Amino acid sequence: MSDSREHILNVAFQLFLQKSFKEVTLREIVEKTGLSKGAFYHYFTSKEQLFLELVNNVVSSVLDIPYDSFNKASLYNFYIDYINYYTENLNRQSKAEEGSMANFNYISLIFDAIKLFPDFQEKLLESKQVQLNAWKGIIYAARNRGEIESSMSDEQIAYMFINSSGGVEMNSIFKGSSKDIGLNLVNLWDSFYKQIKAGPSN
């Protein structure tokens, strides 16, 4: 990727984190990059095309999680690896983003994309299904090896991990800080894991 194209993407990303898609104008993007309008159209056909590429990059960085690389010796090891990956990725994002509202607008970016591009929600749902399958797989294995026992189904347990992760993240965004997400997830998931772990403590 050329330096100019990368520069346009980086500048536009910061603008879309600060304001909505509608509020950011093509003129503003061009002015902030310091490039000509012709240079912009050399790389992108429209503001919409630029925005879609940015959002696809965002979704890929958030949802394309390398589940296969996580330790599958136990459910515990798996979710600890997940938290470590999640917090490292979050730290990288925090360094790249500017402003206290960046995390909130990061979510708004996704909603804008859903409204603008009909196929985008389908992509999100596909990514969510991959996530659910990964969690169900490790939970199924944990149950079969006798690591956990619960009257909850594998899918219900998977959703407890997935949805609580989203809840912790949103709560942190509303508080204006994401630095404690990893610690909060560890505390929450450790408590839940103790409830479903097989043995005298269950």
Side-chain angles (χ1 to χ4, degrees):
M1 185 181 295
S2 74
D3 290 343
S4 294
R5 192 175 197 280
E6 184 72 27
H7 177 59
I8 294 170
L9 286 167
N10 289 336
V11 169
F13 183 53
Q14 295 303 326
L15 288 172
F16 287 126
L17 283 175
Q18 295 163 25
K19 298 186 285 187
S20 69
F21 171 82
K22 188 176 181 180
E23 291 172 320
V24 177
T25 65
L26 179 57
R27 179 178 179 179
E28 185 178 14
I29 294 171
V30 170
E31 287 178 352
K32 291 289 185 181
T33 61
L35 301 172
S36 68
K37 199 170 183 178
F40 175 89
Y41 281 117
H42 177 72
Y43 298 106
F44 303 98
T45 59
S46 64
K47 184 178 79 167
E48 286 78 7
Q49 189 224 336
L50 168 63
F51 182 75
L52 181 59
E53 183 169 333
L54 282 171
V55 175
N56 279 330
N57 289 343
V58 167
V59 169
S60 294
S61 68
V62 174
L63 296 181
D64 292 350
I65 299 171
Y67 295 106
D68 289 341
S69 69
F70 297 164
N71 189 329
K72 295 182 180 62
S74 69
L75 172 60
Y76 175 81
N77 289 338
F78 181 88
Y79 77 69
I80 290 297
D81 275 4
Y82 175 95
I83 291 172
N84 288 337
Y85 172 85
Y86 180 86
T87 52
E88 286 172 10
N89 197 42
L90 194 65
N91 288 336
R92 286 195 298 271
Q93 291 172 13
S94 297
K95 290 176 183 177
E97 295 168 4
E98 298 174 357
S100 60
M101 291 298 290
N103 286 332
F104 182 79
N105 286 342
Y106 179 86
I107 304 298
S108 298
L109 238 150
I110 305 298
F111 284 115
D112 273 348
I114 290 173
K115 288 185 290 184
L116 287 165
F117 309 106
D119 294 338
F120 186 74
Q121 188 166 17
E122 185 177 339
K123 179 177 180 178
L124 285 178
L125 292 175
E126 288 172 358
S127 295
K128 286 294 185 181
Q129 189 60 51
V130 170
Q131 181 185 40
L132 177 61
N133 290 342
W135 280 100
K136 283 173 63 177
I138 189 64
I139 291 162
Y140 175 82
R143 195 191 295 270
N144 279 354
R145 73 169 69 96
E147 179 190 353
I148 62 171
E149 55 182 3
S150 173
S151 59
M152 297 173 67
S153 69
D154 294 348
E155 185 165 308
Q156 287 172 327
I157 294 173
Y159 275 125
M160 285 293 289
F161 282 102
I162 293 169
N163 293 338
S164 60
S165 174
V168 168
E169 181 179 10
M170 288 302 296
N171 187 54
S172 297
I173 288 172
F174 290 143
K175 287 182 176 179
S177 173
S178 59
K179 64 180 180 179
D180 294 329
I181 290 179
L183 179 61
N184 290 338
L185 276 180
V186 168
N187 291 335
L188 183 63
W189 286 359
D190 279 353
S191 296
F192 178 56
Y193 180 70
K194 287 177 183 176
Q195 297 302 311
I196 61 175
K197 190 174 185 299
S201 62
N202 188 39

